[in-house]
Amino acid sequence: MNLMLLGAPGAGKGTQAVELAKLLGIPQVSTGDIFRANIKGNTELGKLASSYISKGMLVPDEVTFDIVKDRLLQDDCKNGVILDGFPRTIAQADMLDKFFAEIGRKLDYVVNIVVDDAAVVARLSRRRICPDCKQSFHLDFAPPAGEKCTNCGGTVVQRPDDVEEVIMQRLQEYHKQTAPLVEYYKEKGILVDSESVNDIEQALQNTKNAIGV
Ligand code: ADP
Ligand code: ZN
């Protein structure tokens, strides 16, 4: 199954993608994670990506598509993938569509994870992540153990783009560039909605129900 998770920053795409990957036995492909790994490794791609991400802007389409394409051609993706954070613009969606057609694949479902802006700000401004295992925490709703990840013991950090000013910019980018994908995939007949309630288990269940797993 080829699945894509669509939604505003803070909708819970990453959290749900990790669980769905385990459940379905297919890898999560997160452009955000790939960019962050490159920023950490100080690669050329990382330097470029960082100049956009730190301002809450999207990385250019061609750059983003190239890394996704390379990833999709790797062996572990041959039985399916969970795309998390890609595509994020109509241009990216068109590129993916064309590429999938070329290799004889298609997106089965696009899960539109629905959340309102106020919830996004409340979630992201108090979010912490484990850089080692990618687990997300929330200081009030799902706190880490002090500074430590309850999953792997790593030291949790705040993403530099999880500060209010950058969060507002990311939301604007979402509404302007990414939200039009809802209509785009609705027209293709593969869009399903999943309400991102604050209870993580329930939010995940909503997605499972939407795709029938
Ligand atoms: P979130 O969904 O919480 O914003 P991500 O980890 O998916 O977090 O993305 C972090 C940042 O990486 C985005 O704000 C953007 O700058 C960049 N990015 C991720 N995916 C894409 C993409 N498909 N196209 C362009 N930029 C992207
Ligand atoms: Zn961890």
Side-chain angles (χ1 to χ4, degrees), residues 76-97:
D76 63 325
C77 292
K78 68 175 187 296
N79 293 325
V81 283
I82 299 169
L83 292 171
D84 159 16
F86 177 91
R88 246 171 156 105
T89 64
I90 298 276
Q92 291 179 12
D94 282 337
M95 289 188 246
L96 177 69
D97 209 40

Side-chain angles (χ1 to χ4, degrees), residues 9 13 31-32 36 53 57 59 64 85-86 88 92 159 170:
K13 299 184 294 292
T31 40
R36 278 185 290 279
I53 294 176
M57 289 161 58
V59 178
T64 306
F86 177 91
R88 246 171 156 105
Q92 291 179 12
R159 266 171 50 175
R170 285 159 65 198

Side-chain angles (χ1 to χ4, degrees), residues 130-135 137 149-156:
C130 172
D132 300 331
C133 74
K134 310 287 183 289
Q135 176 80 42
F137 297 93
C149 170
T150 54
N151 188 39
C152 78
T155 302
V156 302

Side-chain angles (χ1 to χ4, degrees), residues 150-192:
T150 54
N151 188 39
C152 78
T155 302
V156 302
V157 296
Q158 180 171 36
R159 266 171 50 175
D161 58 345
D162 277 349
V163 295
E164 183 140 354
E165 200 188 311
V166 185
I167 294 170
M168 300 317 280
Q169 183 61 40
R170 285 159 65 198
L171 265 174
Q172 260 191 35
E173 289 279 88
Y174 171 76
H175 288 296
K176 207 166 72 197
Q177 310 224 53
T178 309
L181 289 177
V182 172
E183 216 36 60
Y184 178 98
Y185 285 118
K186 203 180 272 174
E187 276 169 23
K188 290 189 185 291
I190 54 173
L191 190 90
V192 291

Side-chain angles (χ1 to χ4, degrees), residues 1-6 16-17 19-26 81-83 107-113 189-195 202-213:
M1 163 149 45
N2 297 300
L3 197 65
M4 181 223 166
L5 304 184
L6 176 65
Q16 295 196 25
E19 295 306 319
L20 292 168
K22 277 189 234 159
L23 183 76
L24 301 171
I26 51 178
V81 283
I82 299 169
L83 292 171
L107 271 180
D108 297 290
Y109 291 108
V110 171
V111 182
N112 178 33
I113 306 185
I190 54 173
L191 190 90
V192 291
D193 280 342
S194 173
E195 195 73 36
Q202 185 58 53
L204 180 64
Q205 190 58 50
N206 292 347
T207 297
K208 288 197 231 169
N209 293 345
I211 62 174
V213 298

